Amino acid sequence: MFVQFTDNDGRETWINPVHVKVVRTNQGFLGGKKGSEIWFSFGSSSEAIYVPQSPSEAAALLDAAMPPTSFVDAGDDSEDDSTPKSS
C-alpha cells in the first residue's frame, strides 16, 4: 500500500496514499516547474514532500496503491424492521 518515491534531496521516501490531501506542481524560485509537491494536510503548519515526478505521474502512482472501496446501497433498508412494508 505504501508508494516509494525518491524526493528532490535524494532520500528514499515511502508514502501512504490514504493520507495524501494534495498533489500539485512544484514551482521553482524563478517560476520554473520542478516536479510535484505531495501534501498530507493543507494547514499553516503542514509540510510537503517534493518529488521530481510530474503531478499526473505522482497522482497515478498514489492512485494505483489506494485500497479498493466498497459501495453500500443506500436504498437497502432491509435491516430496518420497524416500518411496515406495503404490498
Side-chain angles (χ1 to χ4, degrees), residues 35-77:
S36 302
E37 302 173 354
I38 301 173
W39 294 82
F40 302 99
S41 67
F42 221 55
S44 61
S45 63
S46 61
E47 295 184 25
I49 302 294
Y50 300 93
V51 296
Q53 289 87 351
S54 71
S56 60
E57 291 171 325
L61 290 169
L62 293 164
D63 188 48
M66 285 292 287
T69 58
S70 61
F71 295 97
V72 177
D73 184 5
D76 183 15
D77 60 353

Side-chain angles (χ1 to χ4, degrees), residues 11-33:
R11 294 177 296 196
E12 184 175 334
T13 304
W14 291 84
I15 296 175
N16 184 339
V18 172
H19 298 290
V20 173
K21 300 297 182 204
V22 175
V23 176
R24 69 177 185 182
T25 302
N26 180 19
Q27 298 284 11
F29 288 113
L30 301 175
K33 296 178 179 169

